[in-house]
Amino acid sequence: MEDFKRLRDLMVDTQLIPRGIKDERVLSAMRKAPRHIFVDDYMQHKAYDDMALPIGDEQTISQPYMVAIMTELLELKGNEKVLEIGTGSGYQAAILAELSMEVFTIERKALLAKKAEERFQALGYGNVHVITGDGTLGLPEESPFDRILITAGSPKIPEPLIEQLADGGIIIAPVGIRFSQQLLIVRKSKGALSEQLHVPCVFVPLIGEYGWSGDEEDS
Ligand code: SAM
């Protein structure tokens, strides 16, 4: 049996802090959340490695550093209502749940959504709600959201998500072409939007009405 707590601390000390992650709340959430529970059993020994890992259905759990930097850029204080697009394994949503008030997370693949939901229940993350569907449409009935995190790559930020962002809110999203993107930070203040590009990244595609068409899935 691996000592997963030791591996988590090693992940934070060797992958996150040296690369500049400073937010103590983010670092302690990543020391706490059991990433190995969010991957299949055969992959558990790699759960804390410095890489993205397959989670089935041709999807991935993001590299720990990418989870940490996207979370840090959200500037969570603890009282936010957060929307995540792309539940995947559920790990990023668990980190968000540690750091905010309530998390709504949308996944288009029903099997992944079901597995993530089971993990949240087993681990006692009562403030996470999983929805199966096209996340590019957002969740108008629960809007506005203080923070929106998109964890799949898209050509641009879906318009419905911009509309569903609260004033004073932040969206973080990997935006670019099919095989390479850059993190984009969007802030809404007094109705006006400001944008800032951050680190390069590579995510699986955001597929939906306001993302890529499903054809890219087969490419
Ligand atoms: N946040 C995830 C985690 O912690 O494991 C990793 C997300 S994975 C890189 C991207 C996910 O976005 C995939 O599970 C994919 O099925 C999902 N996805 C792609 N397009 C979507 C859409 N329109 N709505 C919801 N989920 C979508």
Side-chain angles (χ1 to χ4, degrees):
M1 182 70 181
E2 303 256 16
D3 180 354
F4 289 116
K5 173 64 182 141
R6 188 185 63 80
L7 292 178
R8 271 201 296 283
D9 283 338
L10 202 62
M11 170 186 84
V12 170
D13 294 336
T14 63
Q15 300 171 34
L16 308 187
I17 294 173
R19 289 189 180 122
I21 303 298
K22 289 190 178 64
D23 185 330
E24 281 301 332
R25 294 183 73 239
V26 174
L27 295 171
S28 63
M30 295 203 55
R31 286 188 198 279
K32 182 176 169 200
R35 183 172 162 94
H36 61 283
I37 301 293
F38 292 88
V39 298
D40 290 332
D41 290 354
Y42 81 98
M43 200 53 90
Q44 283 200 343
H45 66 292
K46 284 188 164 304
Y48 298 97
D49 289 0
D50 190 10
M51 59 176 78
L53 295 171
I55 54 171
D57 248 336
E58 296 174 9
Q59 305 304 319
T60 52
I61 176 173
S62 305
Q63 177 197 26
Y65 170 66
M66 197 42 68
V67 173
I69 190 150
M70 289 193 299
T71 309
E72 186 169 72
L73 291 171
L74 286 171
E75 301 177 11
L76 295 166
K77 299 290 179 273
N79 56 353
E80 298 86 357
K81 187 173 183 180
V82 182
L83 176 65
E84 182 198 23
I85 312 301
T87 313
S89 69
Y91 175 66
Q92 172 75 73
I95 297 290
L96 298 174
E98 293 281 352
L99 298 171
S100 65
M101 193 176 65
E102 198 171 20
V103 180
F104 293 82
T105 179
I106 309 179
E107 171 57 54
R108 68 185 283 269
K109 302 248 181 192
L111 182 61
L112 292 179
K114 180 169 171 283
K115 278 163 76 173
E117 172 94 67
E118 287 167 2
R119 289 167 180 149
F120 297 137
Q121 274 176 15
L123 293 168
Y125 283 107
N127 59 340
V128 184
H129 313 278
V130 184
I131 297 102
T132 304
D134 178 5
T136 70
L137 303 173
L139 205 55
E141 64 273 27
E142 288 293 343
S143 69
F145 295 96
D146 302 303
R147 302 288 187 268
I148 299 177
L149 176 61
I150 307 177
T151 64
S154 65
K156 64 186 180 65
I157 296 188
E159 196 58 39
L161 301 182
I162 292 174
E163 283 161 18
Q164 291 170 34
L165 182 68
D167 204 61
I170 302 174
I171 302 180
I172 305 295
V175 170
I177 56 172
R178 170 66 183 77
F179 292 106
S180 98
Q181 305 92 31
Q182 223 172 330
L183 284 188
L184 180 64
I185 308 164
V186 176
R187 291 171 188 275
K188 193 186 264 186
S189 176
K190 299 194 179 87
L193 299 176
S194 65
E195 295 190 351
Q196 192 188 342
L197 282 167
H198 208 272
V199 292
C201 51
V202 180
F203 278 79
V204 295
L206 182 75
I207 293 172
E209 191 170 331
Y210 292 86
W212 297 102
S213 80
D215 304 343
E216 282 81 9
E217 211 168 13
D218 307 319
S219 61

